[in-house]
Amino acid sequence: MSETVAATLGELKQRAPSVALVGNPNCGKTALFNLLTGARQKVANYAGVTVERKMGQVRLPDGRTVSVIDLPGTYSLRPATLDEQVTLEVIEGRRAGEDVPDLIVAVVDATNLRMNLRLVLELRALGRPMVLALNMADVARDRGLAIDTAALAEELGCPVVETVGVRNDGHAQLLAQLGPSLTAAAGQHVPACINVNEEASLDDVMALQQQVRRILARVQPPVASKPRLDAQLDRWVMHPVVGPLLLAVLLFIVFQAVFSWASVPTDLIDSGMKALGAWVSAHMADGPLRSLIVDGTIAGAGSVLVFLPQILILFAFILVLEDSGYLPRAAFLLDTLMGKVGLSGRAFIPLLSSFACAVPGIMATRTISNWKDRLTTIMIAPMMTCSARLPVYALLIAAFVPNTTMGPFNLRGLTLFALYLAGVLGSVLVAWLFKRLWHKSRYQPLMLELPPYRLPSLRNLGLGLWERARIFVRRVGTIIFALTVVLWFLATYPAAPAGAPGAAIQYSFAGHLGRLLEVVFEPIGFNWQIAIALVPGMAAREVVVGALGTVYALSAADDAVADALAPVIAHSWSLATALSLLAWFVFAPQCISTLATVRRETNSWRYPAAMAIYLFALAYGAAFVTYHVTLALTA
């Protein structure tokens, strides 16, 4: 191992030095990473696994550029999860394709030094160059916690600096220390790594904890306990009755805001897309190219882009709740309820992540140690209403639900809340059936460290929303654009015969496919245009709206692009069809990327196949009941 490390260190001279941020979950490590790197970061996965990899660059005061990697949070170097295993492999240089970090920055929560020091001592035992960052130093001082940084540096044998990851200049001391530490590390001998994968004995654990207590006794004098704001807030937030009511109110406000706050920017984008389509039509000669741009690109991808404000508002709320420290408390609140259906409260955060996208939600199940609990969570994660469904919901609600208010509530917001609630209740029922009929296991209570309450960082919020907007626009510009172009081609060729009645699309490849699929979907009220749109929707949910825009643009009798999709479907569809389609999307099988992620996480095609089958059956059944009940009530 020592020869490998020596060879690797020789190669480091040919590239920029690298720094790895290591720390416990909830220590503010990612906030510090965002502060150091700003927008100069990229997110990908480690080769061969679905563990997220965040890298960025920072320029030091001496002019050097340094690569910074934000390693997954870990409580110990004796890994219990895949995230922790990857962190250990990167630190030791055993991860294929990953460079050995020149310097480790151990990030600790200054308000909870007792918990964080155990990992720091394990890192010190590796003998690697290290700097200790006392993060949240301002909060620690406010609580009367005085930490002797000089004594702590002497105990650990490494520099100690104070940082505040949520303040613009909170990384100043760390930046100043990185240069000298990297210079010293360049000539430092790195010993061979110890085998930290070995199971720790009880004597080892007790000896480590005794060392932690000894260091704390020297560097952090005890302070008189006093009532903390966190404890006072938790009396209400964690109350068995008030807490769930508060959570329900917060979620209700989120869904109201998605429609109420997004109306102005959505209208602006919609008007801009209409103006663009009209301008292109006025300045281009009639022909296939104009049809591709106007009927394919603008009517397709443009129909999806208008929902970006609603998606960003939803993500803003999720990021604020996460950054404030509220989400782990919500997990505790729901632990008992989730336990009744056989899930641990630890499944709450992966399921909540699935409201954004099922792919990271499924990946987040790696934190669930029990395989049966993890598998059940994976199987129900796609039933959470992901942001890709939001454009479909918003389109149908805008077309068929009046924009009326009932006191402080908006009827469209209530409808959206009901759809999200239907997905949650459906997933609870499916989880209950899975645990009793498929994977029987005993309930395991949730054990999770509650982070302190914090004011959300505007920087982290801005970076998170920018990343989400970039991903959404990239999907619109790549996957959705490509699929709408393909759909345009299928819907345009072959051309209708001369003198043929009806729209030309009915004689195209897409028209024939739609007529074939209409036989399958007719019992639930779907016409051939909807059937066509569902096919590319398997690649990305958002494509359904764009596909409908393309199909109806090409279905216009006068070959003109519809001014807006919502009025067209409001005129063409019955209420029963619209509600049936909403019911379909509550349970519909997820996009192909979700099924591929399930395959990677379970290492089997059996589970994604079972997922697709049972979700299709649920979606079809729910749409069938909704369609025929609505027909009976409106007859």
Side-chain angles (χ1 to χ4, degrees), residues 351-383:
L351 293 179
L352 184 66
S353 300
S354 298
F355 281 109
C357 178
V359 171
I362 291 169
M363 289 161 51
T365 61
R366 293 189 304 268
T367 60
I368 303 174
S369 56
N370 183 282
W371 165 245
K372 292 182 178 180
D373 285 342
R374 182 187 175 199
L375 185 58
T376 301
T377 306
I378 288 174
M379 296 301 286
I380 67 173
M383 298 184 69

Side-chain angles (χ1 to χ4, degrees), residues 277 281 290-291 294-296 298-299 549 552-554 556 558-564:
S281 296
R290 190 181 81 171
S291 177
V294 177
D295 299 334
I298 297 177
Y552 274 101
L554 294 171
D558 58 355
D559 293 331
V561 180
D563 288 338

Side-chain angles (χ1 to χ4, degrees), residues 298-360:
I298 297 177
S303 299
V304 182
L305 195 61
V306 297
F307 298 104
L308 178 60
Q310 292 171 322
I311 291 174
L312 292 183
I313 288 173
L314 177 63
F315 268 91
F317 275 99
I318 293 176
L319 290 171
V320 167
L321 293 176
E322 182 179 18
D323 213 15
S324 65
Y326 178 76
L327 287 190
R329 290 166 170 83
F332 270 105
L333 283 174
L334 297 177
D335 181 50
T336 302
L337 175 62
M338 297 176 74
K340 292 180 180 179
V341 299
L343 289 172
S344 166
R346 194 174 289 276
F348 170 75
I349 293 179
L351 293 179
L352 184 66
S353 300
S354 298
F355 281 109
C357 178
V359 171

Side-chain angles (χ1 to χ4, degrees), residues 334-348 351 372-377 380 384 424-444:
L334 297 177
D335 181 50
T336 302
L337 175 62
M338 297 176 74
K340 292 180 180 179
V341 299
L343 289 172
S344 166
R346 194 174 289 276
F348 170 75
L351 293 179
K372 292 182 178 180
D373 285 342
R374 182 187 175 199
L375 185 58
T376 301
T377 306
I380 67 173
M384 301 296 106
V424 172
L425 294 178
S427 66
V428 167
L429 177 61
V430 171
W432 185 85
L433 291 173
F434 278 174
K435 300 297 287 187
R436 278 146 185 82
L437 303 178
W438 189 12
H439 285 301
K440 299 179 181 179
S441 62
R442 185 173 299 176
Y443 164 64
Q444 297 179 339

Side-chain angles (χ1 to χ4, degrees), residues 48-331:
V49 295
T50 51
V51 178
E52 193 174 74
R53 180 179 187 269
K54 290 185 177 180
M55 291 197 68
Q57 290 186 332
V58 61
R59 185 174 294 277
L60 301 183
D62 60 11
R64 280 186 291 176
T65 298
V66 176
S67 296
V68 183
I69 180 169
D70 180 18
L71 292 178
T74 179
Y75 289 105
S76 171
L77 292 185
R78 291 179 170 83
T81 67
L82 182 58
D83 283 11
E84 294 179 342
Q85 179 67 39
V86 168
T87 294
L88 174 62
E89 290 176 356
V90 173
I91 293 173
E92 288 190 326
R94 294 189 288 112
R95 187 76 200 166
E98 297 294 326
D99 296 320
V100 181
D102 296 276
L103 180 69
I104 293 174
V105 175
V107 184
V108 302
D109 179 357
T111 67
N112 195 5
L113 203 54
R114 180 183 299 275
M115 175 69 72
N116 288 242
L117 270 182
R118 289 181 294 188
L119 175 61
V120 175
L121 292 176
E122 290 182 352
L123 289 170
R124 186 186 67 172
L126 296 178
R128 296 296 176 83
M130 185 171 71
V131 173
L132 182 69
L134 286 172
N135 203 29
M136 304 185 224
D138 56 335
V139 179
R141 281 192 293 271
D142 291 342
R143 295 181 181 177
L145 299 175
I147 300 176
D148 189 338
T149 56
L152 184 58
E154 183 180 339
E155 287 284 349
L156 298 176
C158 70
V160 176
V161 296
E162 292 185 351
T163 59
V164 181
V166 296
R167 200 170 64 195
N168 288 338
D169 60 344
H171 60 323
Q173 290 189 29
L174 178 58
L175 278 178
Q177 183 59 51
L178 285 180
S181 294
L182 285 168
T183 301
Q188 183 175 337
H189 171 71
V190 180
C193 293
I194 61 174
N195 188 1
V196 295
N197 280 300
E198 294 179 353
E199 192 70 26
S201 66
L202 180 60
D203 291 340
D204 293 334
V205 174
M206 295 303 294
L208 185 64
Q209 193 59 34
Q210 184 176 3
Q211 193 174 3
V212 169
R213 285 196 293 267
R214 181 187 62 78
I215 294 175
L216 284 175
R218 179 184 176 191
V219 306
Q220 184 177 316
V223 295
S225 61
K226 59 181 181 180
R228 287 171 44 190
L229 179 62
D230 287 14
Q232 296 172 5
L233 289 175
D234 280 340
R235 290 174 187 170
W236 297 100
V237 173
M238 303 296 290
H239 191 276
V241 176
V242 178
L245 290 176
L246 178 60
L247 176 59
V249 169
L250 285 174
L251 294 177
F252 188 79
I253 291 173
V254 169
F255 300 124
Q256 288 289 311
V258 165
F259 269 97
S260 301
W261 297 359
S263 58
V264 174
T266 296
D267 291 343
L268 290 175
I269 296 175
D270 188 35
S271 300
M273 298 307 298
K274 290 179 186 177
L276 179 61
W279 185 87
V280 172
S281 296
H283 290 78
M284 285 189 68
D286 190 15
L289 181 58
R290 190 181 81 171
S291 177
L292 170 61
I293 296 175
V294 177
D295 299 334
T297 304
I298 297 177
S303 299
V304 182
L305 195 61
V306 297
F307 298 104
L308 178 60
Q310 292 171 322
I311 291 174
L312 292 183
I313 288 173
L314 177 63
F315 268 91
F317 275 99
I318 293 176
L319 290 171
V320 167
L321 293 176
E322 182 179 18
D323 213 15
S324 65
Y326 178 76
L327 287 190
R329 290 166 170 83

